[in-house]
Amino acid sequence: MALQDYDIKDIFNLPMRIQLTVVAVFCLLIFYLGYQWDISSLKKELASVQTQETDLKLQLKALIDNLSSVNNDIAQLPILQNLLLKWQNGFVTTDSLPDTLNEILRIGTSNQLQFQIFSPSSEIKDDAYPTYRRIPINTVVIGEYDQIATFLSQVANLPTLVIITNFELMKGQNKLYDKKEAEQPGYANRMTAALTLEVYRLDTTPEKTEKAPNAK
């Protein structure tokens, strides 16, 4: 007789071989369902662990990249410190300002320029750059083109920070000329340069903090 000829509901009256087969199939089914139930939770846990592993790898890579950037910044620190020191040395101090002004006058005189105006103005504080003060110097010099060009080049290359602005070059007779100057040799080749020289002073004065009124 074939297996389908037996009534599974009456399993206890079936031959022993059929009973063992049914029990074996039932056990395998229970084992399979239990395995699937147990493995599904393990699959979810594995997926969660894999996600955490990916996140940790990304965090580790970010830390390594950040460490590399920090090490690079540390390596650049001496260079930046030297640049900062050089930048700060380019500013005049209150005590050295007169020497800087005298040096500019000396450069002009050595280039045979005649100063018509050399008038330093009051310090100007720029709110956008509160660490320094700007000192404009209204300047008008008279001389030949090459003399003026050499003067400007030497002033721009001073170790002290001097910026040349509002430059205007005029040729020919100018109201700033003295009449006696017109009688001097080479008068026709002389030019007038009007400009502003800006000298910068580093402000090292600590900011004053307003004290709160005493409570009564």
Side-chain angles (χ1 to χ4, degrees), residues 25-50:
V25 171
F26 183 76
C27 290
L28 288 174
L29 180 61
I30 296 298
F31 176 77
Y32 175 77
L33 293 176
Y35 174 79
Q36 290 297 323
W37 174 268
D38 191 43
I39 201 66
S40 62
S41 62
L42 291 177
K43 286 181 179 179
K44 292 180 180 179
E45 185 176 352
L46 178 61
S48 176
V49 169
Q50 289 175 337

Side-chain angles (χ1 to χ4, degrees), residues 86-151:
K86 183 178 179 180
W87 177 76
Q88 290 178 338
N89 289 336
F91 289 86
V92 300
T93 62
T94 303
D95 295 335
S96 66
L97 179 59
D99 293 336
T100 300
L101 300 181
N102 289 332
E103 179 63 15
I104 294 174
L105 290 172
R106 187 198 65 78
I107 292 174
T109 302
S110 66
N111 284 285
Q112 300 179 353
L113 295 179
Q114 177 184 350
F115 283 89
Q116 290 290 317
I117 297 177
F118 189 78
S119 177
S121 303
S122 301
E123 289 186 348
I124 298 175
K125 178 182 179 181
D126 191 344
D127 293 336
Y129 303 97
T131 57
Y132 63 76
R133 302 289 184 268
R134 179 163 49 93
I135 307 168
I137 306 170
N138 296 323
T139 306
V140 176
V141 294
I142 297 175
E144 296 183 7
Y145 178 83
D146 291 342
Q147 295 170 340
I148 294 174
T150 302
F151 166 73

Side-chain angles (χ1 to χ4, degrees), residues 53-109:
E53 179 186 13
T54 302
D55 292 340
L56 290 174
K57 286 182 178 179
L58 292 175
Q59 293 177 18
L60 179 61
K61 183 178 182 301
L63 287 174
I64 294 175
D65 293 341
N66 186 52
L67 180 61
S68 176
S69 176
V70 169
N71 290 334
N72 183 62
D73 291 341
I74 292 175
Q76 294 294 324
L77 183 59
I79 299 176
L80 296 176
Q81 287 176 331
N82 290 332
L83 289 176
L84 177 61
L85 181 60
K86 183 178 179 180
W87 177 76
Q88 290 178 338
N89 289 336
F91 289 86
V92 300
T93 62
T94 303
D95 295 335
S96 66
L97 179 59
D99 293 336
T100 300
L101 300 181
N102 289 332
E103 179 63 15
I104 294 174
L105 290 172
R106 187 198 65 78
I107 292 174
T109 302

